[in-house]
Amino acid sequence: MRTKATIVHLAFLLAEAAFLVLFLGSFDASVQGEGILAASACVASLCLLASVAILHVRFVRTSSTIRRQEVIHRQETIRQQEAALRSARVIAAPPAEDGSPAPDAHAAIEAADEAPPLPPAEPDELTTPEAASEAELAPAPEATPQVATPHHRSVLDFAALSDQLAQSSDPVAELKRFVGDVRTREAAAASTPTSPDDARDEGKAGQVTEAPSELERYAARMLEEAGLFSADVELPQITVVRPRASHMVYLRIGDPQIPYLAKLRVIRLEAALNAVRFACSSLDAATATQEDAYRLNQGLARSIVAQAAAIDEPLELEGVTRPDGEWAVRYGISQAVETLQLPYRLTTRFRTNVASGNVAIEFDLTPADAFPSSCFDDELGIVATTGDLRQRAAADYALRLALLLAASAFRCSERVRHVWVAAVHENATRRTCYLSVDFDRWRLSQLDLSDVGDLTETYRAFAPVLRYEDGWLRPVRQSFHLGEERFCPSERFMPVSLSSRRLAPAVADSLGTDHVSGLSIEEADNRTLVANAIMLRLAPPDCEDATQKNVRTVMELAGDDPDLTVRNAAERVISGLIDGTLDESPLAVGEEFVRGDALSR
């Protein structure tokens, strides 16, 4: 790897030298009056030289960053090997009365003495002189027996921690105490006794240090990276909730309005707690490492669609008598949203129209800043994430989440033929759509949801409104809205008394009427609709010929209505306007029109 970097470095130097020679030659020719061609060559060579120099500088910076990460990983490996060797030399059994080690301890010492020496750290230009001096002055590990310091490694009990947070009136303070305790025990466990006598005295005193487990250190790191101790924004009042359907950790915000940065901080803290929950529920808390936790949660984020069952497999709902009805589909989607196991909170809005086979879902895009500030790489280990990596992770997660929501909606009923899904993001200033797609049932049924591969190829079959460029999602124009007629028919908001829908025979027999309007007990609904139209068109009282214009408006809107009560109300209002006994303000006219009859009075 280093040889390849050296070759690339030399190639850049040769290119810079060549362009420099070309620039000097063309510049000399231009000075001597060779003409426009020489001047153009001079400018072109200078631009090429600057471009190569910029690329060279970027390459050097990237190579330095990679070498620095390799050095850190190598030094960490060496420290682990040294720790393993020292633990092999330690004698767990107490010395005999004559001061000689126990027989089993002799075998441990001989095994430690016969172990090959550790390889020295490979020199690198990134190693500081201070680090080199400390390495040279550090004493070599001795083969003489020592008494082990009684360190005990604790185990993270996430269930107890979550219960404590749920019962606390200040969960943020509880989390800070938890992280502080982990870091304190980590520092105490790192300080080893300076001599065997000190270690023996410490053991006699009965002082036991519980070193934090790897999962505890992982939890502390996730919470710190989520901004638990940041002071750039004040966190709102929150409470910890564990929904019964998903058993996830949910941070409920008590304040009605909070800054966007505070909301983002809550989302990050919630995601950190759920990452720890996944690690504790899926890994052995006593033996799992931080790397295992990173691998697990990164794999979960890339495989959320796998939890979706086949879309033709019916969804079992308790207490639902009509599985393909409007209520059953709404209930099924709500239950699916509540039970999904996701690393980040899910906020959705949806409309259903089972009669037309359409479902529309909008979900809030998880912002890139909510994703972890570190990740695990198989070659480099645990490294910091860049803004580009977080943007790619957010885009990948949103595309997979859209597939999961569509599959969940299709399972609710075979009558659902199309599921429209949009990913939107709202901050303090604007609302932006990043994905708008119409999933049809047949094409989605052809996908293997247990292993979604290339997302670009997967989405191409649905002709989405999507700009997926270099792993990023770019803003697009949303192709549908929840309030459209195909998702939310206007007849749903019509008063019962004005509905023309017929009831099913079984329902009609039970209710004693074959029309929905027969269920109404409010006979003024029609007058209310006409009164609203009249009030919007009334002329102001100070307008010239206001009374004449208002009488004409009432006659146009209500004079020929088939409802007798509406025609009577129109006559009553017109008489009052002409006689001057009725105030011409919209509220007075509307009240008279709806409830001015003798029975209402």
Side-chain angles (χ1 to χ4, degrees):
M1 182 67 181
R2 192 168 299 170
T3 303
K4 181 179 178 180
T6 304
I7 294 174
V8 176
H9 180 69
L10 292 176
F12 273 116
L13 292 177
L14 291 175
E16 291 171 355
F19 286 126
L20 180 60
V21 171
L22 180 60
F23 168 72
L24 293 177
S26 58
F27 179 77
D28 183 62
S30 177
V31 171
Q32 293 179 5
E34 293 292 338
I36 299 177
L37 183 61
S40 301
C42 178
V43 174
S45 58
L46 180 60
C47 294
L48 291 173
L49 177 61
S51 300
V52 173
I54 293 174
L55 292 175
H56 191 186
V57 170
R58 291 183 177 178
F59 172 76
V60 171
R61 290 180 177 177
T62 304
S63 301
S64 300
T65 302
I66 294 175
R67 287 198 299 272
R68 186 180 298 109
Q69 293 172 347
E70 291 177 350
V71 169
I72 294 173
H73 181 65
R74 188 184 305 115
Q75 292 176 349
E76 179 66 21
T77 303
I78 292 174
R79 283 196 295 269
Q80 293 177 357
Q81 292 175 346
E82 290 177 348
L85 182 58
R86 285 197 297 270
S87 62
R89 294 172 182 270
V90 169
I91 301 176
E97 295 180 356
D98 56 357
S100 61
D104 293 339
H106 284 295
I109 295 175
E110 291 175 359
D113 291 338
E114 292 175 1
L118 292 173
E122 186 175 347
D124 192 279
E125 63 272 20
L126 296 177
T127 304
T128 59
E130 292 80 3
S133 300
E134 292 177 1
E136 293 174 357
L137 296 177
E142 299 179 355
T144 56
Q146 295 181 357
V147 178
T149 306
H151 293 319
H152 296 269
R153 190 172 297 277
S154 62
V155 177
L156 177 58
D157 187 353
F158 185 80
L161 175 62
S162 59
D163 290 341
Q164 182 179 359
L165 294 175
Q167 298 171 5
S168 174
S169 59
D170 191 355
V172 175
E174 294 291 338
L175 289 175
K176 289 181 178 180
R177 279 193 288 269
F178 167 76
V179 175
D181 176 66
V182 171
R183 294 309 185 195
T184 300
R185 290 188 287 118
E186 184 179 13
S191 59
T192 56
T194 56
S195 66
D197 295 336
D198 295 339
R200 191 175 297 110
D201 293 340
E202 183 181 355
K204 291 179 180 179
Q207 299 177 358
V208 178
T209 302
E210 284 192 347
S213 64
E214 286 289 290
L215 290 187
E216 285 181 310
R217 295 174 59 196
Y218 173 76
R221 179 166 187 163
M222 288 294 99
L223 291 171
E224 289 172 343
E225 291 183 358
L228 178 62
F229 294 95
S230 298
D232 52 351
V233 65
E234 183 180 357
L235 290 176
Q237 182 65 33
I238 61 176
T239 54
V240 176
V241 181
R242 299 290 303 276
R244 291 180 297 175
S246 64
H247 302 288
M248 304 290 290
V249 179
Y250 178 72
L251 301 184
R252 178 177 295 166
I253 301 174
D255 300 341
Q257 291 184 346
I258 61 173
Y260 173 74
L261 185 57
K263 176 183 177 181
L264 180 62
R265 186 63 45 76
V266 172
I267 293 176
R268 296 190 65 181
L269 289 173
E270 184 179 278
L273 288 172
N274 283 314
V276 178
R277 173 187 175 271
F278 282 128
C280 292
S281 61
S282 303
L283 302 173
D284 187 352
T287 60
T289 63
Q290 294 191 61
E291 290 78 4
D292 295 334
Y294 273 102
R295 287 194 191 94
L296 173 70
N297 284 289
Q298 290 171 192
L300 286 174
R302 291 191 297 265
S303 60
I304 57 174
V305 189
Q307 62 186 296
I311 64 174
D312 294 328
E313 181 179 336
L315 186 66
E316 297 182 1
L317 300 174
E318 297 181 0
V320 175
T321 57
R322 295 182 58 194
D324 293 329
E326 188 76 31
W327 168 250
V329 173
R330 297 184 191 181
Y331 178 56
I333 295 176
S334 301
Q335 188 181 60
V337 170
E338 293 177 357
T339 56
L340 291 176
Q341 298 293 304
L342 300 173
Y344 302 95
R345 70 164 54 191
L346 174 60
T347 303
T348 63
R349 297 162 294 278
F350 64 89
R351 297 288 186 273
T352 63
N353 187 0
V354 180
S356 65
N358 288 320
V359 173
I361 302 176
E362 280 185 358
F363 70 91
D364 290 349
L365 183 77
T366 304
D369 292 336
F371 283 74
S373 302
S374 61
C375 65
F376 179 77
D377 183 82
D378 292 333
E379 296 181 358
L380 303 177
I382 300 175
V383 295
T385 57
T386 62
D388 178 73
L389 288 177
R390 290 192 290 272
Q391 287 285 355
R392 291 172 180 267
D396 183 270
Y397 181 76
L399 293 174
R400 297 180 188 277
L401 182 56
L403 287 169
L404 177 59
L405 290 175
S408 301
F410 278 125
R411 283 194 64 200
C412 296
S413 173
E414 293 182 354
R415 298 176 63 187
V416 177
R417 312 309 300 176
H418 290 268
V419 177
W420 302 72
V421 182
V424 298
H425 178 247
E426 295 186 32
N427 55 19
T429 57
R430 61 180 179 177
R431 180 182 187 273
T432 309
C433 176
Y434 288 91
L435 166 67
S436 183
V437 57
D438 171 19
F439 292 103
D440 65 277
R441 189 179 192 91
W442 183 84
R443 287 186 175 87
L444 192 67
S445 65
Q446 305 304 308
L447 298 179
D448 182 9
L449 299 180
S450 62
D451 185 16
V452 178
D454 188 350
L455 290 172
T456 303
E457 291 296 327
T458 300
Y459 271 85
R460 184 174 287 115
F462 301 98
V465 181
L466 172 66
R467 290 178 59 195
Y468 189 44
E469 303 172 356
D470 298 328
W472 288 42
L473 284 179
R474 307 293 183 179
V476 295
R477 181 178 177 273
Q478 188 170 340
S479 60
F480 70 94
H481 296 284
L482 298 182
E484 294 182 24
E485 184 75 16
R486 53 181 168 173
F487 307 125
C488 191
S490 57
E491 64 181 13
R492 293 179 179 175
F493 304 99
M494 184 176 293
V496 175
S497 61
L498 305 180
S499 175
S500 60
R501 288 182 296 169
R502 296 181 63 90
L503 295 172
V507 179
D509 183 65
S510 300
L511 298 178
T513 178
D514 57 353
H515 282 78
V516 173
S517 58
L519 302 175
S520 172
I521 60 173
E522 179 56 74
E523 56 89 20
D525 284 339
N526 201 12
R527 294 202 302 274
T528 301
L529 290 178
V530 178
N532 290 336
I534 293 175
M535 293 166 64
L536 293 175
R537 293 179 52 180
L538 288 176
D542 56 352
C543 178
E544 184 179 358
D545 298 331
T547 301
Q548 181 181 355
K549 293 179 180 180
N550 291 336
V551 168
R552 185 181 299 113
T553 298
V554 175
M555 289 296 297
E556 290 176 357
L557 295 177
D560 297 331
D561 196 280
D563 189 345
L564 179 60
T565 63
V566 173
R567 296 197 303 271
N568 292 337
E571 295 175 359
R572 185 171 60 252
V573 169
I574 291 174
S575 299
L577 293 175
I578 295 175
D579 297 341
T581 57
L582 177 61
D583 186 5
E584 297 191 25
S585 65
L587 292 178
V589 172
E591 180 66 21
E592 178 67 21
F593 194 95
V594 176
R595 306 192 184 280
D597 60 293
L599 181 61
S600 297
R601 291 184 182 278

